[in-house]
Amino acid sequence: MEKRLNGKRLSKASRSGFINYGIVIAAFALIQILLVVQKLLGVTLVSNSLQSLLVPTCCYIVMAVSLNLTVGILGELSLGHAGFMSLGAFSGIVASFLLADVIPFAPLRLALSMIVGAAFGAVGGVIVGVPVLRLQGDYLAIVTLAFGQIIKNIIMVLYVGVDEKGFHIAASSERFNLAEDGTAIIKGPMGAVGVTKLASFTAGFVLILITLVVVQNLVNSRSGRAIMALRDNRIAAESVGINTTKYKLMAFVTSAALAGAAGALFGLNYSSTVASKFDFNASILVLVFVVLGGLGSIRGSIIAAALLYVLPELLRQFGDIADYRMLVYAIVLILVMLATNNDQLKALVGRIIPKRKGAASHG
Amino acid sequence: MSFLNNVITGISLGSIYAIIALGYTMVYGIAKMLNFAHGDVIMVGAYVCFFAMGSFNLPPVVGVLLAVVVCTVLGMVIERLAYKPLRAAPSLAVLITAIGVSYLLQNSAQILWGAATKTFRPIVEGSLTLVPGQLSVSYVAILSVVCCVVVMVGLTLFTGQTKMGKAMRACSEDKGAAQLMGIDVNATISMTFAIGSALAALAGVLMCSAYPVLSPTTGSMPGIRAFTAAVFGGIGSVPGALLGGILLGVIETFGKAYISTDLSDAVVFAVLIIVLLVRPAGLMGKYVPEKV
């Protein structure tokens, strides 16, 4: 009986994973077809403003899925996810600049920059994770918040540039002794300027697929089950021999690396990027995607991130509603939390939308 | 002299942080939740005082009292509508709800009062000259420190001597047992929010008097820093909030003066992280070992 149930659940998990790939591929194919038809017929199916949102939406989907790994699967609240995105964005921009002469082929340069971004994100994840994961609950949340602020603060005073003598890096404009003919890549509070835009929708699509492969395989592996066991009951998990630090760090660093890659793609999508873009509010935005999509649900994160990122940007076009978009956001966030966590409200919702038998007995 | 000046600025800023931190600490001690919306209650308090003094020409004392009353009611309403239904929910859900409330307050303020920054007229003007031309203390700074001391003494007496204060301590110790002893837990939690929000209003007015820029996001950074102060001193501890607040104010001022203006936040948060790693319960917090 036990064995059969177990087998059923696993197959369900992998089936759900394939559905996720399917959704992403179908969405990508649909948009590509629309774009081709638009070019052939000369009609507007996907407006310019919507097209400009494609790459950032991909980035935020990756951000949401990776944050879901920390918050939903590992069960530790992180309020500094944008910090890793920031690390990835600026390291990716610098990498793409330095590689410009060596590798003329843009997609390869983009891929390498994203790998550099992911590496920096991962290093950031280790630096943050090793001390922080000793703490628990709200303390961990506040320290990730602090790290996010520190990363933002440091990048805002960072100057990076290249000239004949080589690579220059300094923490203030006075100490930044770049030669006259040199090029500054990151200019402190002004951020990175004059970035060659390498990002493309296809790259974003590939990044989402890679993210899904990494996260879904991790979740459905032995390590993933250990991570979820830690989430559900840390003491019980420890007592059956699960190495807390190792698995927590595994989830946290994977999440940070993916955020770094998403950051690199995001940074290379604009000609200029400032560090204040990746502040506390950006971290919260991604957290909202994860929570509204459903903690622990990868598909929920994808859909919530795509819809919620595009929707407010579209609302921006209609003058009056634009002012209220964040207000609506806040109210929806509170209502969703109340509806899913209050027993009376849950019972009410349950009466309106009857749950399937399996789900009900599980909960 | 510049050193003394920095010490004075630091202590007065720290006093304001301490008053805000008290709100965080008391709520955390009883409801075991991070009230992320606390910083935005500060902002609401400052706006109420700003309009009371600016649009209705009321005297500063009335403006402050009005701000305190509005924020007290606001705090209790938020608690009743958003947090009370989640008493039994996991802490993550409550925290995210608090973030939602924080967004709601910020965006409501933006719609009601506009995103443009307003210049806050200090409730007391002028300064006291100690050494002519070199050292002077603004009255706002003196008022902040006095308020902080009065609030601390008042709260210590309140939690130690009064029936309600004892009920609060009982609730923070063990809610179930407190309920069995006949304490109305819900009323006690509501009272805690009321006190915390009243203090937030006071802090908002003092802060905007010292740094006279007012915008819908005014409260968020001081809120985060004050929370840091509460964690720093040991969350749940009233003297800890005072110590944490003052230390944070001094560290921030010194960081600005001697390291770098842009990096003062980084310095503050780096200190927080180091403190938490060495003493996970904060400077004056009680370390409670986990029982299995």
Side-chain angles (χ1 to χ4, degrees):
Chain A
M1 185 68 190
E2 185 76 348
K3 207 172 176 183
R4 209 186 57 142
L5 265 179
N6 214 8
K8 199 176 159 196
R9 207 177 57 114
L10 277 183
S11 73
K12 208 166 142 192
S14 56
R15 196 164 64 223
S16 142
F18 282 117
I19 295 175
N20 291 347
Y21 296 127
I23 291 174
V24 173
I25 293 170
F28 176 72
L30 180 70
I31 293 171
Q32 289 295 3
I33 291 168
L34 284 178
L35 286 175
V36 170
V37 171
Q38 174 171 318
K39 208 174 253 175
L40 289 177
L41 299 179
V43 287
T44 314
L45 294 170
V46 186
S47 69
N48 276 336
S49 66
L50 203 57
Q51 274 183 48
S52 69
L53 285 178
L54 290 175
V55 177
T57 307
C58 292
C59 296
Y60 274 95
I61 289 174
V62 174
M63 287 295 286
V65 172
S66 62
L67 185 63
N68 205 343
L69 186 60
T70 308
V71 182
I73 312 288
L74 177 63
E76 297 287 6
L77 182 60
S78 164
L79 295 175
H81 207 51
F84 301 121
M85 194 184 185
S86 182
L87 273 180
F90 287 97
S91 56
I93 287 170
V94 172
S96 81
F97 194 87
L98 296 180
L99 292 172
D101 299 330
V102 191
I103 304 164
F105 184 55
L108 181 62
R109 206 160 79 221
L110 176 66
L112 283 175
S113 306
M114 272 154 65
I115 291 169
V116 170
F120 269 79
V123 170
V126 173
I127 294 173
V128 177
V130 169
V132 158
L133 290 171
R134 286 176 48 198
L135 302 165
Q136 274 157 26
D138 298 338
Y139 285 96
L140 187 129
I142 213 70
V143 174
T144 51
L145 187 160
F147 267 110
Q149 294 286 341
I150 292 176
I151 290 171
K152 187 189 95 178
N153 239 307
I154 288 176
I155 292 178
M156 278 181 95
V157 296
L158 199 66
Y159 287 80
V160 177
V162 244
D163 61 9
E164 295 163 336
K165 283 184 213 151
F167 191 63
H168 287 267
I169 185 159
S172 68
S173 55
E174 296 92 55
R175 267 175 277 170
F176 188 50
N177 47 357
L178 195 68
E180 286 284 316
D181 56 344
T183 325
I185 309 172
I186 300 175
K187 289 202 269 187
M190 283 163 69
V193 283
V195 180
T196 321
K197 291 192 247 177
L198 293 174
S200 66
F201 182 41
T202 314
F205 165 69
V206 173
L207 183 63
I208 295 178
L209 283 187
I210 293 173
T211 305
L212 283 180
V213 169
V214 171
V215 173
Q216 289 183 355
N217 282 311
L218 177 63
V219 171
N220 292 329
S221 68
R222 188 187 166 83
S223 310
R225 286 189 291 276
I227 291 167
M228 284 185 278
L230 282 172
R231 171 193 67 187
D232 293 337
N233 191 333
R234 186 179 57 83
I235 293 167
E238 259 181 342
S239 69
V240 293
I242 290 173
N243 184 343
T244 317
T245 315
K246 180 184 158 194
Y247 287 109
K248 275 190 172 179
L249 206 60
M250 185 189 280
F252 196 72
V253 172
T254 310
S255 162
L258 290 171
L265 185 69
F266 192 83
L268 291 169
N269 188 44
Y270 298 99
S271 55
S272 66
T273 303
V274 286
S276 55
K277 234 180 204 169
F278 309 102
D279 60 355
F280 177 59
N281 287 327
S283 300
I284 295 296
L285 189 72
V286 182
L287 186 65
V288 170
F289 296 158
V290 173
V291 174
L292 290 187
L295 286 176
S297 157
I298 306 291
R299 194 179 310 151
S301 291
I302 299 172
I303 296 170
L307 284 182
L308 291 173
Y309 189 76
V310 174
L311 210 64
E313 297 288 329
L314 287 181
L315 286 180
R316 225 187 259 271
Q317 298 166 351
F318 310 99
D320 291 341
I321 310 169
D323 296 339
Y324 294 97
R325 68 191 178 104
M326 289 313 288
L327 193 68
V328 173
Y329 230 85
I331 294 171
V332 169
L333 188 64
I334 297 171
L335 288 182
V336 166
M337 289 328 285
L338 289 181
T340 49
N341 286 290
N342 183 260
D343 287 335
Q344 285 162 331
L345 280 172
K346 238 186 342 203
L348 191 75
V349 174
R351 229 173 291 153
I352 301 165
I353 316 160
K355 268 189 183 169
R356 275 164 299 162
K357 222 175 175 182
S361 70
H362 183 73
Chain B
M1 278 306 151
S2 77
F3 178 79
L4 264 182
N5 248 329
N6 283 330
V7 172
I8 292 168
T9 318
I11 290 178
S12 69
L13 178 66
S15 306
I16 299 173
Y17 285 156
I19 299 175
I20 309 173
L22 270 177
Y24 276 112
T25 268
M26 290 175 64
V27 166
Y28 190 88
I30 288 190
K32 294 282 174 289
M33 66 163 288
L34 295 184
N35 183 11
F36 252 101
H38 196 65
D40 301 289
V41 177
I42 300 169
M43 173 270 299
V44 174
Y47 266 105
V48 170
C49 186
F50 173 82
F51 283 111
M53 282 164 63
S55 310
F56 300 101
N57 278 319
L58 295 170
V61 181
V62 182
V64 175
L65 281 178
L66 205 62
V68 169
V69 171
V70 170
C71 286
T72 308
V73 174
L74 181 70
M76 288 168 83
V77 169
I78 292 174
E79 197 273 331
R80 178 71 193 76
L81 293 182
Y83 305 149
K84 198 180 164 209
L86 296 177
R87 224 26 76 71
S91 71
L92 189 64
V94 189
L95 186 78
I96 290 168
T97 312
I99 290 170
V101 173
S102 159
Y103 264 36
L104 182 70
L105 289 179
Q106 272 180 31
N107 289 291
S108 310
Q110 194 172 336
I111 290 165
L112 283 175
W113 303 312
T117 53
K118 296 186 161 48
T119 312
F120 194 90
R121 188 160 55 90
I123 45 169
V124 278
E125 274 162 307
S127 57
L128 182 73
T129 312
L130 294 176
V131 182
Q134 286 185 325
L135 188 62
S136 65
V137 191
S138 70
Y139 288 126
V140 174
I142 298 173
L143 185 67
S144 306
V145 177
V146 170
C147 279
C148 178
V149 172
V150 170
V151 164
M152 278 307 152
V153 173
L155 265 186
T156 313
L157 289 177
F158 177 76
T159 49
Q161 310 292 327
T162 64
K163 204 163 182 177
M164 194 54 172
K166 284 178 187 164
M168 277 182 185
R169 285 191 302 158
C171 284
S172 75
E173 200 77 36
D174 189 333
K175 267 200 219 88
Q179 200 154 21
L180 289 175
M181 295 298 120
I183 294 170
D184 185 345
V185 174
N186 280 328
T188 312
I189 293 180
S190 188
M191 184 70 187
T192 313
F193 270 87
I195 295 177
S197 305
L199 293 180
L202 181 67
V205 173
L206 287 172
M207 195 181 67
C208 286
S209 296
Y211 305 90
V213 245
L214 183 56
S215 76
T217 52
T218 297
S220 58
M221 259 334 269
I224 292 173
R225 287 203 201 105
F227 176 69
T228 311
V231 174
F232 195 37
I235 198 149
S237 143
V238 171
L242 176 70
L243 181 71
I246 303 260
L247 276 179
L248 197 79
V250 172
I251 292 171
E252 187 185 327
T253 315
F254 275 65
K256 269 195 182 126
Y258 298 112
I259 300 177
S260 154
T261 327
D262 303 313
L263 282 176
S264 70
D265 264 356
V267 173
V268 166
F269 288 119
V271 172
L272 167 81
I273 291 165
I274 294 165
V275 167
L276 280 185
L277 292 180
V278 182
R279 282 188 65 95
L283 289 175
M284 296 179 85
K286 257 190 304 183
Y287 178 69
V288 187
E290 204 170 358
K291 286 181 193 150
V292 186

